[in-house]
Amino acid sequence: MKLTVVGTGYVGLVTGACFAEMGHTVTCVDIDAEKVSKLKEGWIPIFEPGLKPIVIRNCEEGRLLFTTSLSEAIQDTQIIFIAVGTPPGDDGSADLKHVLAVAREVGDNLKDYAVIVTKSTVPVGTADKVNDAVANQLALRRADVAYDVVSNPEFLKEGAAVDDFMKPDRIVVGVESDRAREMMYELYKNFSRNHDRILFMGVKDAEMTKYAGNSMLATKISFMNEIANLCDRLGVDVENVRLGIGSDSRIGYSFIYPGCGYGGSCFPKDVRALIHTASESNYESMILNAVHERNEDQKYILFRKIVGRFGDDLSGLTFGVWGLAFKPGTDDVREAPAIVLIKELVNAGAKVKAYDPEALETACAELSPEWLEDGSVTMVRHQYEALEDVDAMVLVTEWKPFRHPRFQCHEGDDEAGCHF
Ligand SMILES: NC(=O)c1ccc[n+]([C@@H]2O[C@H](COP(=O)([O-])OP(=O)(O)OC[C@H]3O[C@@H](n4cnc5c(N)ncnc54)[C@H](O)[C@@H]3O)[C@@H](O)[C@H]2O)c1
């Protein structure tokens, strides 16, 4: 099939590359001209395991193309995926300006029937807005072109995105027309050869499924963080509690590690967006409000523990921070607890030496350039460099190389083996 994917971020680039890997011809579109020209040269803008060879191979074989021109890309295309960002607005709602801008551009340029798919995470009712936006633009140019709008939310996880896309647990497709349903089945059937994983449902049901899924996972995390905070006060080892409840098959082991709060570009914004959707329906989302509040507070837990040990004034102290990405396996630092911690430490007078295997550059972009220039924050290229001459270390993101640290310096170690 001939496909167009609009937006070449974490979702769009993985989607485009994986469909191309399955033999489809895919044109990826982005408004960021620099990104597109670098992608054409084989540069991958994000760290995502396994993605680079797929992009390069499919570009070389002519199945994966990049452009800034949506009008060119959608000629003869059968399915158009909208995979642009839906960042949170000031009131927590999902900002649909990028999605609707793409929908209008599609309406301006569509010549033949196509299925228009929202892959971005969008609130219930967005497909209707996409439909209206396309219809309005078609009407303006008096064009009579048929199309269908489908919701196909994405469930990939950063850090395992290629695997998740290639071997999905389920493929949710919200669709109202038989023609679009057949085309979506044709597109996805080879991703579920082993057994059928495609769940067809109504468009609104699919839109809600994405938010309900992320909110459920965020709820598990916030619940466990609350239990952990209580365990701290009661002298209970939460690790034993985790094992004790995880072994209950009704609960399971996933998403019950206590920690310093969830971050990333999905859970925080999706929980807030669903709270907003609820309030628009005059419904108070009591559980999700609590999930969000617990998480906001949890991001300060490491800082509070540090202040509890060293006092309010941290001047003259230096802290080594391991892990900046919001989770292992990605360079994404959006809403990452490590960034909150570093800001608190510097504001309290401390200096920070920070290390992350992949997120040093993305983290720099989130911090005040002054701090990087005046030495308040130093990014180091080796995990043990972050521990030289520091008063304490803070482990924030559980990257695998941090699991067996070599803190001891033994006699006979050469310099490389003796870091601290
Ligand atoms: N990141 C994830 O793990 C993940 C997982 C599932 C769903 N989602 C959802 O997928 C959507 C995209 O997320 P992301 O993390 O890939 O975003 P991203 O910010 O990494 O990428 C978005 C891309 O869209 C481009 N863009 C914006 N407006 C455009 C336009 N008018 N035309 C063409 N390109 C345009 C941007 O330049 C950018 O490259 C969001 O709704 C997100 O909630 C993300």
Side-chain angles (χ1 to χ4, degrees), residues 262-315:
Y262 56 77
S265 67
C266 293
F267 288 2
K269 91 171 164 60
D270 293 350
V271 168
R272 266 179 284 160
L274 193 51
I275 291 170
H276 186 267
T277 298
S279 76
E280 277 191 324
S281 307
N282 295 321
Y283 184 72
E284 193 197 345
S285 191
M286 288 189 263
I287 292 177
L288 293 180
N289 274 317
V291 167
H292 171 63
E293 278 171 34
R294 166 58 55 227
N295 193 60
E296 287 298 290
D297 187 67
Q298 201 71 11
K299 287 188 181 171
Y300 294 87
I301 191 166
L302 290 173
F303 179 69
R304 284 201 291 264
K305 281 181 187 283
I306 289 167
V307 165
R309 168 71 176 74
F310 292 94
D312 288 339
D313 182 6
L314 301 179
S315 337

